[in-house]
């Protein structure tokens, strides 16, 4: 019996540390598998979805990363590169822009995902009401994937939506982050999804 209990505790300890922990400056901790740490950003996959899309965080958002081997990397503030001409727009790869608008043409098929099942329902309803794309329940039929990232802070909800290439799982574009309170919609999750669609997604295609 003692051997079984000891084995159970050992297994739990291994599971607890078989992941990387990204501590954000906002106080949030992201359980992840870190793929790459470059000069300005960190690429990772969610620990809960190791075969899912690749996410990118700016180092300016990160306080520290504790890797699964126990090593901790602390991030100081990364100074943004100076821009002597403030009227210049940041460079955009034309190939990425062309691919984005090719994948998201009117009447194309979109597969909607989220770690929150109710968010998928709300997003499906919002996209169907809009009528710009056709929602498919088959991922392999999709021209692109639309992933809704929903988070909560007290009674408020905040999040973004990512446009993902279904062929390689890479994020090609994301909306700005939006935040809603219960005064906007008593169902803050539904309210947030509707705001992301109305204010974050639709303006890209007008």
């Amino acid at each position: 019996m003692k051997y079984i209990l000891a084995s159970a505790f050992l297994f739990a300890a291994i599971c607890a540390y078989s992941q990387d922990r990204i501590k954000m400056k906002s106080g949030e901790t992201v359980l992840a598998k870190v793929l790459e740490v470059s000069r300005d950003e960190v690429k990772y996959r969610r620990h809960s979805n190791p075969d899912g899309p690749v996410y990118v965080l700016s180092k300016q958002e990160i306080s520290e990363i504790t890797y699964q081997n126990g090593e901790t990397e602390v991030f100081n503030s990364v100074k943004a590169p100076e821009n002597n001409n403030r009227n210049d727009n940041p460079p955009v790869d034309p190939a990425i822009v062309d691919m984005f608008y090719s994948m998201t043409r009117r009447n194309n098929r979109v597969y909607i995902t989220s770690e929150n099942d109710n968010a998928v329902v709300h997003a499906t309803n919002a996209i169907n009401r809009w009528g710009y794309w056709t929602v498919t329940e088959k991922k392999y039929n999709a021209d692109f994937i639309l992933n809704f990232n929903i988070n909560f802070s007290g009674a408020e909800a905040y999040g973004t939506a990512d446009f993902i290439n279904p062929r390689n799982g890479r994020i090609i574009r994301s909306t700005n982050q939006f935040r809603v309170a219960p005064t906007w919609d008593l169902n803050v999750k539904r309210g947030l999804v509707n705001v992301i669609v109305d204010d974050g997604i639709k303006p890209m295609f007008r």
Side-chain angles (χ1 to χ4, degrees), residues 18-23 30-38 41-47 50 54-55 57 59 62 64-68 71 73 75:
S18 61
Q19 59 199 6
D20 302 323
R21 294 172 177 265
I22 304 174
K23 185 176 181 181
V30 179
L31 303 182
K33 174 61 179 176
V34 175
L35 304 176
E36 179 184 342
V37 179
S38 64
E41 61 187 24
V42 173
K43 295 182 179 180
Y44 71 96
R45 283 193 170 96
R46 294 182 188 275
H47 179 261
V54 175
Y55 295 88
L57 285 172
K59 281 187 174 180
I62 301 172
E64 65 182 35
I65 297 177
T66 301
Y67 297 99
Q68 61 182 8
E71 179 183 346
E73 183 175 2
F75 294 86

Side-chain angles (χ1 to χ4, degrees), residues 16 43 67 117 127 131 135 143 146 156 185 188:
K43 295 182 179 180
Y67 297 99
D117 291 340
I127 296 298
V135 177
D143 296 298
L146 194 56
E156 296 183 335
D185 188 324
V188 291

